[in-house]
Amino acid sequence: MRSYVRNVLAQNNSRGSTVIIKNGKPQQISYGWAWYGKRIGNGNDNVVYPTASLQKVITAAMVVQLMNEKWHTSERFSQNTKISRWYPELKNANNITLGQLINHTSGINAVNTEADRGINYSEDDAVKWAIDNANAIDPSTPGTYFYNNTNYILLAGIIKKISGQSYETNFNNRIVNKLGLANTYLYQNIPSWKTDPISYTWNIKNYQDPEYITKTQASQLVGAANMFTTPMDYYKIQVGLSNGVILNKSDFHYLTHLKSRANNYSGGIYLDNNDTIKSAYGNLGGTHFGIWFQMTTDNRNGLIMFLNQTAGDENAQKQVGYQILNHIKPYTFIAG
């Protein structure tokens, strides 16, 4: 398996770190340099990768945790609760449900969420920017699917409003500490002895056009794309979303079948093949990362692929992963 995966990455001019899951057993396989200039290899113990939009399912799961905790109190809420409860100043908030925010069917169509604004935002300031930016553009009618980071930045703010603690505190207590993760951080908490990778493109040769995620860009995307981890830690998170550590199977089903979904996306991930396959893809504007996972929903087979050198677009990157998936378990996975 190791030589096969490395050969597939090499043949497709791709570099990165993966976790292969076969029959319930995860194996890390990496290839190439995470930081070419310093000759730090992918898979190095000190490298933590951006997850981009693969963070969203974690933010959504924390909302469900809080929903369960508040269910028998006066602060009870559900997927149908209008977000005007938390954001009375937000345009159209009386018509937007929490579930619509989670599923990108809120009608919010703010722009430039990933363009680096060169400001190191606090959580509160990032949420304020999201509100102001959403209010600057007339929203679409709620119910229409429009993928937008603003939805999840607003969810990070709701987590703070409900819990009385920062998104960072909730993330560390509810995810990192619960699962005992040793390599998972929000950007601002990455220790000095760890490093995030540089992203590259392939253009005639390897390691061209280096770009990385800045502190300021990460700070804009609280709850949406400011988490860094390893593919092995991310595998543990996926398992934890249905084994009772983060959520149980019933909670996971609730999260991934919200009434407000307009397609096969719900709660931060896509479900396919009669709910037997789960997946999500992420990258960040101005960088070349290709972050993708596809697993069986029972977590027994699949691929977590964190690419820091990519060749081609999102579909090309998924085809690389699909080739590996077919080697893990043929006739099981989907190409996109």
Side-chain angles (χ1 to χ4, degrees):
M1 183 67 75
R2 182 171 297 276
S3 60
Y4 180 83
V5 171
R6 289 166 64 90
N7 285 337
V8 169
L9 293 176
Q11 290 163 10
N12 289 277
N13 301 310
S14 301
R15 303 290 184 269
S17 187
T18 72
V19 160
I20 308 300
I21 307 106
K22 185 174 177 65
N23 298 326
K25 297 179 181 178
Q27 177 186 8
Q28 178 179 290
I29 302 172
S30 305
Y31 184 62
W33 301 108
W35 190 338
Y36 179 73
K38 291 193 174 182
R39 297 300 192 273
I40 299 173
N42 278 312
N44 183 294
D45 289 344
N46 292 327
V47 177
V48 292
Y49 296 81
T51 54
S53 288
L54 273 63
Q55 178 181 353
K56 289 185 169 71
V57 67
I58 296 159
T59 298
M62 290 197 287
V63 173
V64 172
Q65 287 179 332
L66 286 164
M67 196 180 294
N68 290 337
E69 291 165 18
K70 301 295 184 180
W71 198 247
H72 296 292
T73 76
S74 60
E75 299 174 63
R76 174 174 173 159
F77 67 97
S78 74
Q79 61 178 305
N80 302 314
T81 302
K82 298 293 194 294
I83 64 169
S84 53
R85 173 165 164 178
W86 302 288
Y87 295 121
E89 74 277 35
L90 181 68
K91 188 183 292 184
N92 215 31
N94 283 321
N95 297 315
I96 299 170
T97 67
L98 182 66
Q100 288 170 332
L101 210 60
I102 293 171
N103 282 351
H104 301 282
T105 53
S106 64
I108 293 172
N109 51 10
V111 298
N112 296 326
T113 59
E114 294 181 15
D116 189 350
R117 298 189 286 274
I119 299 168
N120 190 21
Y121 286 86
S122 67
E123 284 187 18
D124 289 347
D125 287 342
V127 172
K128 183 181 184 303
W129 184 93
I131 294 169
D132 292 344
N133 205 41
N135 282 341
I137 300 173
D138 287 334
S140 300
T141 303
T144 303
Y145 179 80
F146 186 86
Y147 192 95
N148 194 283
N149 287 315
T150 304
N151 291 292
Y152 273 76
I153 300 169
L154 294 174
L155 286 171
I158 288 173
I159 287 170
K160 181 175 181 179
K161 288 173 182 286
I162 293 169
S163 68
Q165 296 180 308
S166 66
Y167 179 89
E168 176 183 327
T169 297
N170 277 279
F171 176 81
N172 288 330
N173 290 342
R174 295 176 179 276
I175 307 299
V176 176
N177 296 343
K178 276 282 185 70
L179 290 169
L181 302 177
N183 296 292
T184 300
Y185 310 92
L186 300 183
Y187 185 95
Q188 67 269 20
N189 296 328
I190 298 173
S192 59
W193 63 89
K194 301 274 187 182
T195 186
D196 51 311
I198 311 295
S199 72
Y200 305 93
T201 54
W202 184 88
N203 185 6
I204 303 177
K205 58 182 181 178
N206 295 313
Y207 306 111
Q208 301 301 297
D209 192 19
E211 298 288 349
Y212 65 95
I213 296 169
T214 64
K215 178 190 297 185
T216 52
Q217 185 182 28
S219 75
Q220 298 168 191
L221 294 163
V222 57
N226 67 327
M227 170 180 134
F228 288 68
T229 189
T230 61
M232 190 61 80
D233 266 17
Y234 195 77
Y235 162 75
K236 295 173 184 176
I237 289 169
Q238 282 299 321
V239 173
L241 286 170
S242 57
N243 72 354
V245 179
I246 299 175
L247 301 178
N248 60 34
K249 286 183 179 179
S250 175
D251 293 330
F252 182 75
H253 184 271
Y254 178 87
L255 178 63
T256 53
H257 294 80
L258 295 174
K259 296 174 184 177
S260 56
R261 69 177 181 170
N263 49 24
N264 59 343
Y265 181 97
S266 182
I269 60 174
Y270 294 88
L271 290 183
D272 290 286
N273 287 9
N274 295 316
D275 294 352
T276 61
I277 300 294
K278 58 182 178 178
S279 67
Y281 174 85
N283 60 13
L284 276 170
T287 71
H288 315 300
F289 294 104
I291 311 300
W292 188 56
F293 90 93
Q294 189 175 145
M295 296 169 59
T296 53
T297 48
D298 64 7
N299 299 309
R300 289 192 54 77
N301 294 281
L303 167 70
I304 297 165
M305 185 174 73
F306 291 177
L307 297 181
N308 72 307
Q309 177 178 292
T310 52
D313 60 8
E314 174 183 339
N315 287 331
Q317 294 156 31
K318 288 179 178 178
Q319 286 300 322
V320 175
Y322 185 55
Q323 190 174 342
I324 297 170
L325 286 165
N326 272 337
H327 189 72
I328 296 169
K329 191 169 185 181
Y331 314 113
T332 300
F333 298 96
I334 61 171

